[in-house]
Amino acid sequence: MLLRHPHNTEDCRAVSEILQRVGDKWTVLVVGKLGNGAMRFNELRTAVGGISQKMLTSTLRGLERDGFVTRKVFPTIPPRVDYELTELGHELLVPVGALGEWARRNTERVKAARAKFDGTRA
C-alpha cells in the first residue's frame, strides 16, 4: 500500500518530543514570565500563580535539561538561585507568544464552536 503522505518516523518522533516539552501549560507560562528577564524561584512561582513548588521545580528542570533555561546559583546564605532563558529559550518565545496571542483572539470562537457541537450532540 502506497502512503498518500509519506512521513519520516524520526521527524515525527522529534516533533513529538519537543511538543511534549513546550506544549504543557506550565512550560508556556514559565517561558513567558522568564521572557521578561531572570527571576528567582519564588518570584517565578508568584508570577505564574497556581503552580505548586513541585511542579515548578519539575518544569524548570525539564526546561534546563532541554536547553531552554539556565540555572545560576549564587553562594549566599540562604543560597540565591536565578533562572533565565537561554538563546534557545528566547527563540521559543516567538511561537509560544504567537500561540498565546492566537488563543486570546479566538477564545470566543472556540467556545461558540464547542457550544454548537455540544448542542447538536444532546
Side-chain angles (χ1 to χ4, degrees), residues 91-109:
E91 289 177 25
L92 180 61
L93 278 173
V94 176
V96 164
L99 183 59
E101 182 57 33
W102 182 91
R104 285 185 286 279
R105 281 194 325 265
N106 290 287
T107 297
E108 293 306 316
R109 292 172 65 195

Side-chain angles (χ1 to χ4, degrees), residues 41-109:
F41 184 90
N42 284 328
E43 289 175 319
L44 192 52
R45 187 172 172 202
T46 300
V48 170
I51 190 169
S52 69
Q53 181 172 337
K54 180 179 177 181
M55 184 53 70
L56 180 56
T57 298
S58 174
T59 300
L60 287 167
R61 282 188 185 146
L63 288 168
E64 184 179 11
R65 179 176 182 252
D66 291 345
F68 296 113
V69 168
T70 58
R71 179 180 185 268
K72 186 172 182 181
V73 180
F74 295 89
T76 60
I77 308 243
R80 175 181 168 178
V81 181
D82 283 358
Y83 295 90
E84 188 171 15
L85 292 180
T86 62
E87 181 181 335
L88 185 61
H90 280 284
E91 289 177 25
L92 180 61
L93 278 173
V94 176
V96 164
L99 183 59
E101 182 57 33
W102 182 91
R104 285 185 286 279
R105 281 194 325 265
N106 290 287
T107 297
E108 293 306 316
R109 292 172 65 195

